[in-house]
PDB file of all heavy atoms in Angstrom:
ATOM      1  N   LYS I   8      11.388  -0.026   7.540  1.00  0.00           N
ATOM      2  CA  LYS I   8      12.105   0.431   6.344  1.00  0.00           C
ATOM      3  C   LYS I   8      11.467  -0.073   5.049  1.00  0.00           C
ATOM      4  O   LYS I   8      11.696   0.506   3.972  1.00  0.00           O
ATOM      5  CB  LYS I   8      13.565  -0.023   6.391  1.00  0.00           C
ATOM      6  CG  LYS I   8      13.789  -1.513   6.157  1.00  0.00           C
ATOM      7  CD  LYS I   8      15.271  -1.838   5.996  1.00  0.00           C
ATOM      8  CE  LYS I   8      15.493  -3.322   5.673  1.00  0.00           C
ATOM      9  NZ  LYS I   8      16.920  -3.643   5.486  1.00  0.00           N
ATOM     10  N   ARG I   9      10.648  -1.140   5.142  1.00  0.00           N
ATOM     11  CA  ARG I   9      10.010  -1.687   3.933  1.00  0.00           C
ATOM     12  C   ARG I   9       8.649  -2.239   4.315  1.00  0.00           C
ATOM     13  O   ARG I   9       8.493  -2.861   5.378  1.00  0.00           O
ATOM     14  CB  ARG I   9      10.868  -2.795   3.321  1.00  0.00           C
ATOM     15  CG  ARG I   9      10.289  -3.418   2.042  1.00  0.00           C
ATOM     16  CD  ARG I   9      11.253  -4.419   1.435  1.00  0.00           C
ATOM     17  NE  ARG I   9      10.680  -5.033   0.238  1.00  0.00           N
ATOM     18  CZ  ARG I   9      10.528  -6.354   0.042  1.00  0.00           C
ATOM     19  NH1 ARG I   9      10.928  -7.218   0.972  1.00  0.00           N
ATOM     20  NH2 ARG I   9       9.999  -6.814  -1.081  1.00  0.00           N
ATOM     21  N   VAL I  10       7.662  -2.014   3.422  1.00  0.00           N
ATOM     22  CA  VAL I  10       6.317  -2.541   3.637  1.00  0.00           C
ATOM     23  C   VAL I  10       5.887  -3.304   2.396  1.00  0.00           C
ATOM     24  O   VAL I  10       5.973  -2.780   1.276  1.00  0.00           O
ATOM     25  CB  VAL I  10       5.304  -1.420   3.949  1.00  0.00           C
ATOM     26  CG1 VAL I  10       3.897  -2.001   4.084  1.00  0.00           C
ATOM     27  CG2 VAL I  10       5.692  -0.685   5.223  1.00  0.00           C
ATOM     28  N   VAL I  11       5.437  -4.532   2.588  1.00  0.00           N
ATOM     29  CA  VAL I  11       4.938  -5.373   1.505  1.00  0.00           C
ATOM     30  C   VAL I  11       3.431  -5.519   1.702  1.00  0.00           C
ATOM     31  O   VAL I  11       2.983  -5.935   2.772  1.00  0.00           O
ATOM     32  CB  VAL I  11       5.621  -6.754   1.514  1.00  0.00           C
ATOM     33  CG1 VAL I  11       5.104  -7.618   0.367  1.00  0.00           C
ATOM     34  CG2 VAL I  11       7.137  -6.594   1.419  1.00  0.00           C
ATOM     35  N   VAL I  12       2.663  -5.160   0.678  1.00  0.00           N
ATOM     36  CA  VAL I  12       1.206  -5.081   0.795  1.00  0.00           C
ATOM     37  C   VAL I  12       0.539  -6.095  -0.130  1.00  0.00           C
ATOM     38  O   VAL I  12       0.938  -6.243  -1.288  1.00  0.00           O
ATOM     39  CB  VAL I  12       0.714  -3.654   0.447  1.00  0.00           C
ATOM     40  CG1 VAL I  12      -0.810  -3.574   0.511  1.00  0.00           C
ATOM     41  CG2 VAL I  12       1.350  -2.632   1.381  1.00  0.00           C
ATOM     42  N   GLY I  13      -0.486  -6.768   0.391  1.00  0.00           N
ATOM     43  CA  GLY I  13      -1.224  -7.723  -0.422  1.00  0.00           C
ATOM     44  C   GLY I  13      -2.073  -7.037  -1.476  1.00  0.00           C
ATOM     45  O   GLY I  13      -1.905  -7.233  -2.675  1.00  0.00           O
ATOM     46  N   CYS I  14      -3.048  -6.218  -1.041  1.00  0.00           N
ATOM     47  CA  CYS I  14      -3.905  -5.508  -1.987  1.00  0.00           C
ATOM     48  C   CYS I  14      -4.237  -4.127  -1.455  1.00  0.00           C
ATOM     49  O   CYS I  14      -4.124  -3.863  -0.254  1.00  0.00           O
ATOM     50  CB  CYS I  14      -5.183  -6.300  -2.294  1.00  0.00           C
ATOM     51  SG  CYS I  14      -6.334  -6.419  -0.911  1.00  0.00           S
ATOM     52  N   LEU I  15      -4.654  -3.242  -2.350  1.00  0.00           N
ATOM     53  CA  LEU I  15      -5.014  -1.884  -1.968  1.00  0.00           C
ATOM     54  C   LEU I  15      -6.421  -1.852  -1.391  1.00  0.00           C
ATOM     55  O   LEU I  15      -7.254  -2.705  -1.683  1.00  0.00           O
ATOM     56  CB  LEU I  15      -4.918  -0.957  -3.182  1.00  0.00           C
ATOM     57  CG  LEU I  15      -3.544  -0.849  -3.839  1.00  0.00           C
ATOM     58  CD1 LEU I  15      -3.575   0.202  -4.944  1.00  0.00           C
ATOM     59  CD2 LEU I  15      -2.457  -0.518  -2.816  1.00  0.00           C
ATOM     60  N   ASP I  16      -6.677  -0.842  -0.580  1.00  0.00           N
ATOM     61  CA  ASP I  16      -7.971  -0.639   0.063  1.00  0.00           C
ATOM     62  C   ASP I  16      -8.812   0.304  -0.808  1.00  0.00           C
ATOM     63  O   ASP I  16      -8.407   1.446  -1.051  1.00  0.00           O
ATOM     64  CB  ASP I  16      -7.752  -0.022   1.451  1.00  0.00           C
ATOM     65  CG  ASP I  16      -9.025   0.126   2.262  1.00  0.00           C
ATOM     66  OD1 ASP I  16     -10.119  -0.001   1.683  1.00  0.00           O
ATOM     67  OD2 ASP I  16      -8.918   0.366   3.481  1.00  0.00           O
ATOM     68  N   PRO I  17     -10.006  -0.125  -1.280  1.00  0.00           N
ATOM     69  CA  PRO I  17     -10.827   0.740  -2.132  1.00  0.00           C
ATOM     70  C   PRO I  17     -11.594   1.817  -1.381  1.00  0.00           C
ATOM     71  O   PRO I  17     -12.262   2.647  -2.002  1.00  0.00           O
ATOM     72  CB  PRO I  17     -11.792  -0.252  -2.788  1.00  0.00           C
ATOM     73  CG  PRO I  17     -11.963  -1.331  -1.768  1.00  0.00           C
ATOM     74  CD  PRO I  17     -10.616  -1.464  -1.109  1.00  0.00           C
ATOM     75  N   ASP I  18     -11.521   1.812  -0.048  1.00  0.00           N
ATOM     76  CA  ASP I  18     -12.208   2.839   0.744  1.00  0.00           C
ATOM     77  C   ASP I  18     -11.703   4.223   0.302  1.00  0.00           C
ATOM     78  O   ASP I  18     -10.485   4.458   0.304  1.00  0.00           O
ATOM     79  CB  ASP I  18     -11.910   2.621   2.232  1.00  0.00           C
ATOM     80  CG  ASP I  18     -12.752   3.487   3.156  1.00  0.00           C
ATOM     81  OD1 ASP I  18     -13.041   4.633   2.778  1.00  0.00           O
ATOM     82  OD2 ASP I  18     -13.105   3.017   4.252  1.00  0.00           O
ATOM     83  N   PRO I  19     -12.600   5.127  -0.068  1.00  0.00           N
ATOM     84  CA  PRO I  19     -12.163   6.457  -0.527  1.00  0.00           C
ATOM     85  C   PRO I  19     -11.281   7.195   0.473  1.00  0.00           C
ATOM     86  O   PRO I  19     -10.505   8.075   0.083  1.00  0.00           O
ATOM     87  CB  PRO I  19     -13.487   7.195  -0.743  1.00  0.00           C
ATOM     88  CG  PRO I  19     -14.503   6.125  -0.978  1.00  0.00           C
ATOM     89  CD  PRO I  19     -14.068   4.981  -0.133  1.00  0.00           C
ATOM     90  N   ARG I  20     -11.376   6.843   1.740  1.00  0.00           N
ATOM     91  CA  ARG I  20     -10.537   7.489   2.746  1.00  0.00           C
ATOM     92  C   ARG I  20      -9.098   6.971   2.698  1.00  0.00           C
ATOM     93  O   ARG I  20      -8.199   7.555   3.314  1.00  0.00           O
ATOM     94  CB  ARG I  20     -11.120   7.261   4.141  1.00  0.00           C
ATOM     95  CG  ARG I  20     -12.502   7.856   4.347  1.00  0.00           C
ATOM     96  CD  ARG I  20     -13.107   7.403   5.660  1.00  0.00           C
ATOM     97  NE  ARG I  20     -13.271   5.949   5.711  1.00  0.00           N
ATOM     98  CZ  ARG I  20     -13.702   5.271   6.780  1.00  0.00           C
ATOM     99  NH1 ARG I  20     -13.996   5.940   7.894  1.00  0.00           N
ATOM    100  NH2 ARG I  20     -13.837   3.963   6.740  1.00  0.00           N
ATOM    101  N   VAL I  21      -8.890   5.871   1.987  1.00  0.00           N
ATOM    102  CA  VAL I  21      -7.553   5.270   1.867  1.00  0.00           C
ATOM    103  C   VAL I  21      -7.150   5.282   0.390  1.00  0.00           C
ATOM    104  O   VAL I  21      -6.487   6.191  -0.073  1.00  0.00           O
ATOM    105  CB  VAL I  21      -7.532   3.841   2.454  1.00  0.00           C
ATOM    106  CG1 VAL I  21      -6.111   3.290   2.450  1.00  0.00           C
ATOM    107  CG2 VAL I  21      -8.108   3.829   3.868  1.00  0.00           C
ATOM    108  N   GLU I  22      -7.539   4.268  -0.348  1.00  0.00           N
ATOM    109  CA  GLU I  22      -7.408   4.201  -1.808  1.00  0.00           C
ATOM    110  C   GLU I  22      -6.058   4.726  -2.319  1.00  0.00           C
ATOM    111  O   GLU I  22      -5.983   5.656  -3.113  1.00  0.00           O
ATOM    112  CB  GLU I  22      -8.551   4.986  -2.461  1.00  0.00           C
ATOM    113  CG  GLU I  22      -8.906   4.515  -3.850  1.00  0.00           C
ATOM    114  CD  GLU I  22     -10.167   5.171  -4.366  1.00  0.00           C
ATOM    115  OE1 GLU I  22     -10.601   6.215  -3.817  1.00  0.00           O
ATOM    116  OE2 GLU I  22     -10.738   4.649  -5.316  1.00  0.00           O
ATOM    117  N   GLY I  23      -4.993   4.146  -1.818  1.00  0.00           N
ATOM    118  CA  GLY I  23      -3.653   4.534  -2.249  1.00  0.00           C
ATOM    119  C   GLY I  23      -2.986   5.557  -1.356  1.00  0.00           C
ATOM    120  O   GLY I  23      -1.760   5.778  -1.437  1.00  0.00           O
ATOM    121  N   ARG I  24      -3.761   6.201  -0.488  1.00  0.00           N
ATOM    122  CA  ARG I  24      -3.182   7.232   0.371  1.00  0.00           C
ATOM    123  C   ARG I  24      -2.237   6.636   1.416  1.00  0.00           C
ATOM    124  O   ARG I  24      -1.263   7.272   1.816  1.00  0.00           O
ATOM    125  CB  ARG I  24      -4.289   8.035   1.047  1.00  0.00           C
ATOM    126  CG  ARG I  24      -5.069   8.913   0.069  1.00  0.00           C
ATOM    127  CD  ARG I  24      -6.208   9.663   0.783  1.00  0.00           C
ATOM    128  NE  ARG I  24      -6.923  10.549  -0.128  1.00  0.00           N
ATOM    129  CZ  ARG I  24      -7.918  10.160  -0.918  1.00  0.00           C
ATOM    130  NH1 ARG I  24      -8.308   8.893  -0.915  1.00  0.00           N
ATOM    131  NH2 ARG I  24      -8.508  11.019  -1.722  1.00  0.00           N
ATOM    132  N   GLY I  25      -2.567   5.425   1.875  1.00  0.00           N
ATOM    133  CA  GLY I  25      -1.668   4.765   2.827  1.00  0.00           C
ATOM    134  C   GLY I  25      -0.316   4.492   2.192  1.00  0.00           C
ATOM    135  O   GLY I  25       0.739   4.706   2.823  1.00  0.00           O
ATOM    136  N   ILE I  26      -0.304   4.046   0.944  1.00  0.00           N
ATOM    137  CA  ILE I  26       0.941   3.792   0.222  1.00  0.00           C
ATOM    138  C   ILE I  26       1.710   5.101   0.050  1.00  0.00           C
ATOM    139  O   ILE I  26       2.933   5.164   0.220  1.00  0.00           O
ATOM    140  CB  ILE I  26       0.640   3.166  -1.151  1.00  0.00           C
ATOM    141  CG1 ILE I  26      -0.133   1.843  -0.993  1.00  0.00           C
ATOM    142  CG2 ILE I  26       1.937   2.945  -1.925  1.00  0.00           C
ATOM    143  CD1 ILE I  26       0.582   0.780  -0.219  1.00  0.00           C
ATOM    144  N   ALA I  27       0.973   6.169  -0.279  1.00  0.00           N
ATOM    145  CA  ALA I  27       1.622   7.469  -0.504  1.00  0.00           C
ATOM    146  C   ALA I  27       2.315   7.972   0.759  1.00  0.00           C
ATOM    147  O   ALA I  27       3.427   8.522   0.693  1.00  0.00           O
ATOM    148  CB  ALA I  27       0.588   8.480  -0.987  1.00  0.00           C
ATOM    149  N   ILE I  28       1.673   7.792   1.920  1.00  0.00           N
ATOM    150  CA  ILE I  28       2.281   8.226   3.185  1.00  0.00           C
ATOM    151  C   ILE I  28       3.602   7.492   3.407  1.00  0.00           C
ATOM    152  O   ILE I  28       4.618   8.099   3.794  1.00  0.00           O
ATOM    153  CB  ILE I  28       1.318   7.974   4.359  1.00  0.00           C
ATOM    154  CG1 ILE I  28       0.136   8.951   4.305  1.00  0.00           C
ATOM    155  CG2 ILE I  28       2.041   8.086   5.700  1.00  0.00           C
ATOM    156  CD1 ILE I  28      -0.966   8.639   5.307  1.00  0.00           C
ATOM    157  N   LEU I  29       3.610   6.195   3.155  1.00  0.00           N
ATOM    158  CA  LEU I  29       4.819   5.400   3.356  1.00  0.00           C
ATOM    159  C   LEU I  29       5.935   5.841   2.410  1.00  0.00           C
ATOM    160  O   LEU I  29       7.088   6.009   2.829  1.00  0.00           O
ATOM    161  CB  LEU I  29       4.503   3.908   3.135  1.00  0.00           C
ATOM    162  CG  LEU I  29       3.464   3.281   4.072  1.00  0.00           C
ATOM    163  CD1 LEU I  29       3.129   1.873   3.626  1.00  0.00           C
ATOM    164  CD2 LEU I  29       3.979   3.276   5.514  1.00  0.00           C
ATOM    165  N   LYS I  30       5.591   6.052   1.156  1.00  0.00           N
ATOM    166  CA  LYS I  30       6.613   6.431   0.184  1.00  0.00           C
ATOM    167  C   LYS I  30       7.184   7.812   0.468  1.00  0.00           C
ATOM    168  O   LYS I  30       8.391   8.038   0.300  1.00  0.00           O
ATOM    169  CB  LYS I  30       6.027   6.364  -1.226  1.00  0.00           C
ATOM    170  CG  LYS I  30       5.795   4.937  -1.738  1.00  0.00           C
ATOM    171  CD  LYS I  30       5.291   4.928  -3.174  1.00  0.00           C
ATOM    172  CE  LYS I  30       5.189   3.505  -3.706  1.00  0.00           C
ATOM    173  NZ  LYS I  30       4.692   3.482  -5.108  1.00  0.00           N
ATOM    174  N   ARG I  31       6.327   8.748   0.899  1.00  0.00           N
ATOM    175  CA  ARG I  31       6.815  10.094   1.215  1.00  0.00           C
ATOM    176  C   ARG I  31       7.821  10.067   2.370  1.00  0.00           C
ATOM    177  O   ARG I  31       8.695  10.938   2.481  1.00  0.00           O
ATOM    178  CB  ARG I  31       5.647  11.020   1.564  1.00  0.00           C
ATOM    179  CG  ARG I  31       4.880  11.525   0.358  1.00  0.00           C
ATOM    180  CD  ARG I  31       4.052  12.756   0.708  1.00  0.00           C
ATOM    181  NE  ARG I  31       3.077  12.495   1.760  1.00  0.00           N
ATOM    182  CZ  ARG I  31       1.831  12.092   1.548  1.00  0.00           C
ATOM    183  NH1 ARG I  31       1.398  11.895   0.306  1.00  0.00           N
ATOM    184  NH2 ARG I  31       1.008  11.891   2.552  1.00  0.00           N
ATOM    185  N   ALA I  32       7.659   9.052   3.231  1.00  0.00           N
ATOM    186  CA  ALA I  32       8.584   8.926   4.370  1.00  0.00           C
ATOM    187  C   ALA I  32       9.858   8.177   3.989  1.00  0.00           C
ATOM    188  O   ALA I  32      10.714   7.935   4.847  1.00  0.00           O
ATOM    189  CB  ALA I  32       7.881   8.212   5.515  1.00  0.00           C
ATOM    190  N   GLY I  33       9.997   7.821   2.718  1.00  0.00           N
ATOM    191  CA  GLY I  33      11.192   7.129   2.261  1.00  0.00           C
ATOM    192  C   GLY I  33      11.174   5.630   2.475  1.00  0.00           C
ATOM    193  O   GLY I  33      12.200   4.954   2.325  1.00  0.00           O
ATOM    194  N   ILE I  34       9.994   5.084   2.802  1.00  0.00           N
ATOM    195  CA  ILE I  34       9.874   3.643   3.007  1.00  0.00           C
ATOM    196  C   ILE I  34       9.704   2.950   1.653  1.00  0.00           C
ATOM    197  O   ILE I  34       8.918   3.389   0.801  1.00  0.00           O
ATOM    198  CB  ILE I  34       8.683   3.318   3.931  1.00  0.00           C
ATOM    199  CG1 ILE I  34       8.956   3.871   5.335  1.00  0.00           C
ATOM    200  CG2 ILE I  34       8.404   1.816   3.983  1.00  0.00           C
ATOM    201  CD1 ILE I  34       7.796   3.709   6.299  1.00  0.00           C
ATOM    202  N   GLU I  35      10.423   1.869   1.466  1.00  0.00           N
ATOM    203  CA  GLU I  35      10.277   1.058   0.245  1.00  0.00           C
ATOM    204  C   GLU I  35       8.951   0.293   0.322  1.00  0.00           C
ATOM    205  O   GLU I  35       8.674  -0.364   1.336  1.00  0.00           O
ATOM    206  CB  GLU I  35      11.441   0.086   0.114  1.00  0.00           C
ATOM    207  CG  GLU I  35      11.356  -0.816  -1.105  1.00  0.00           C
ATOM    208  CD  GLU I  35      12.433  -1.888  -1.116  1.00  0.00           C
ATOM    209  OE1 GLU I  35      13.388  -1.800  -0.302  1.00  0.00           O
ATOM    210  OE2 GLU I  35      12.314  -2.827  -1.932  1.00  0.00           O
ATOM    211  N   VAL I  36       8.153   0.362  -0.722  1.00  0.00           N
ATOM    212  CA  VAL I  36       6.839  -0.281  -0.720  1.00  0.00           C
ATOM    213  C   VAL I  36       6.709  -1.221  -1.918  1.00  0.00           C
ATOM    214  O   VAL I  36       6.996  -0.833  -3.055  1.00  0.00           O
ATOM    215  CB  VAL I  36       5.697   0.760  -0.769  1.00  0.00           C
ATOM    216  CG1 VAL I  36       4.335   0.053  -0.759  1.00  0.00           C
ATOM    217  CG2 VAL I  36       5.798   1.724   0.412  1.00  0.00           C
ATOM    218  N   THR I  37       6.266  -2.435  -1.640  1.00  0.00           N
ATOM    219  CA  THR I  37       5.956  -3.417  -2.688  1.00  0.00           C
ATOM    220  C   THR I  37       4.492  -3.787  -2.567  1.00  0.00           C
ATOM    221  O   THR I  37       4.027  -4.146  -1.477  1.00  0.00           O
ATOM    222  CB  THR I  37       6.824  -4.682  -2.543  1.00  0.00           C
ATOM    223  OG1 THR I  37       8.204  -4.327  -2.582  1.00  0.00           O
ATOM    224  CG2 THR I  37       6.526  -5.674  -3.664  1.00  0.00           C
ATOM    225  N   THR I  38       3.743  -3.678  -3.647  1.00  0.00           N
ATOM    226  CA  THR I  38       2.303  -3.974  -3.615  1.00  0.00           C
ATOM    227  C   THR I  38       1.966  -5.153  -4.529  1.00  0.00           C
ATOM    228  O   THR I  38       2.769  -5.551  -5.368  1.00  0.00           O
ATOM    229  CB  THR I  38       1.477  -2.747  -4.052  1.00  0.00           C
ATOM    230  OG1 THR I  38       1.842  -2.401  -5.391  1.00  0.00           O
ATOM    231  CG2 THR I  38       1.713  -1.572  -3.136  1.00  0.00           C
ATOM    232  N   GLY I  39       0.770  -5.706  -4.339  1.00  0.00           N
ATOM    233  CA  GLY I  39       0.275  -6.762  -5.220  1.00  0.00           C
ATOM    234  C   GLY I  39       0.857  -8.133  -4.954  1.00  0.00           C
ATOM    235  O   GLY I  39       0.845  -8.995  -5.845  1.00  0.00           O
ATOM    236  N   VAL I  40       1.353  -8.376  -3.749  1.00  0.00           N
ATOM    237  CA  VAL I  40       1.906  -9.693  -3.408  1.00  0.00           C
ATOM    238  C   VAL I  40       0.768 -10.598  -2.933  1.00  0.00           C
ATOM    239  O   VAL I  40       0.077 -10.283  -1.964  1.00  0.00           O
ATOM    240  CB  VAL I  40       2.999  -9.571  -2.330  1.00  0.00           C
ATOM    241  CG1 VAL I  40       3.500 -10.954  -1.916  1.00  0.00           C
ATOM    242  CG2 VAL I  40       4.140  -8.710  -2.843  1.00  0.00           C
ATOM    243  N   LEU I  41       0.535 -11.694  -3.631  1.00  0.00           N
ATOM    244  CA  LEU I  41      -0.620 -12.568  -3.390  1.00  0.00           C
ATOM    245  C   LEU I  41      -1.910 -11.744  -3.417  1.00  0.00           C
ATOM    246  O   LEU I  41      -2.799 -11.901  -2.580  1.00  0.00           O
ATOM    247  CB  LEU I  41      -0.479 -13.317  -2.058  1.00  0.00           C
ATOM    248  CG  LEU I  41       0.723 -14.256  -1.936  1.00  0.00           C
ATOM    249  CD1 LEU I  41       0.732 -14.940  -0.577  1.00  0.00           C
ATOM    250  CD2 LEU I  41       0.734 -15.295  -3.048  1.00  0.00           C
ATOM    251  N   GLU I  42      -1.999 -10.869  -4.409  1.00  0.00           N
ATOM    252  CA  GLU I  42      -3.079  -9.893  -4.473  1.00  0.00           C
ATOM    253  C   GLU I  42      -4.453 -10.537  -4.569  1.00  0.00           C
ATOM    254  O   GLU I  42      -5.399 -10.113  -3.874  1.00  0.00           O
ATOM    255  CB  GLU I  42      -2.860  -8.963  -5.673  1.00  0.00           C
ATOM    256  CG  GLU I  42      -3.894  -7.850  -5.784  1.00  0.00           C
ATOM    257  CD  GLU I  42      -3.558  -6.876  -6.887  1.00  0.00           C
ATOM    258  OE1 GLU I  42      -2.823  -7.267  -7.821  1.00  0.00           O
ATOM    259  OE2 GLU I  42      -4.015  -5.724  -6.823  1.00  0.00           O
ATOM    260  N   GLU I  43      -4.609 -11.542  -5.429  1.00  0.00           N
ATOM    261  CA  GLU I  43      -5.923 -12.162  -5.588  1.00  0.00           C
ATOM    262  C   GLU I  43      -6.382 -12.838  -4.302  1.00  0.00           C
ATOM    263  O   GLU I  43      -7.550 -12.745  -3.923  1.00  0.00           O
ATOM    264  CB  GLU I  43      -5.911 -13.166  -6.749  1.00  0.00           C
ATOM    265  CG  GLU I  43      -5.919 -12.510  -8.110  1.00  0.00           C
ATOM    266  CD  GLU I  43      -7.042 -11.487  -8.265  1.00  0.00           C
ATOM    267  OE1 GLU I  43      -8.205 -11.841  -7.987  1.00  0.00           O
ATOM    268  OE2 GLU I  43      -6.754 -10.341  -8.643  1.00  0.00           O
ATOM    269  N   GLU I  44      -5.450 -13.522  -3.630  1.00  0.00           N
ATOM    270  CA  GLU I  44      -5.793 -14.144  -2.352  1.00  0.00           C
ATOM    271  C   GLU I  44      -6.192 -13.088  -1.327  1.00  0.00           C
ATOM    272  O   GLU I  44      -7.142 -13.282  -0.558  1.00  0.00           O
ATOM    273  CB  GLU I  44      -4.619 -14.970  -1.824  1.00  0.00           C
ATOM    274  CG  GLU I  44      -4.312 -16.234  -2.612  1.00  0.00           C
ATOM    275  CD  GLU I  44      -3.260 -16.001  -3.682  1.00  0.00           C
ATOM    276  OE1 GLU I  44      -3.216 -14.870  -4.233  1.00  0.00           O
ATOM    277  OE2 GLU I  44      -2.502 -16.937  -3.970  1.00  0.00           O
TER     278      GLU I  44
END
């Protein structure tokens, strides 16, 4: 029901698309948690 993500993947095959899939399915998404690490 919820996904917490450290950092985004710069791979052009992903690059935000993974987050978009989760959000379209109604999953709550939080990004940038301990992002620098």
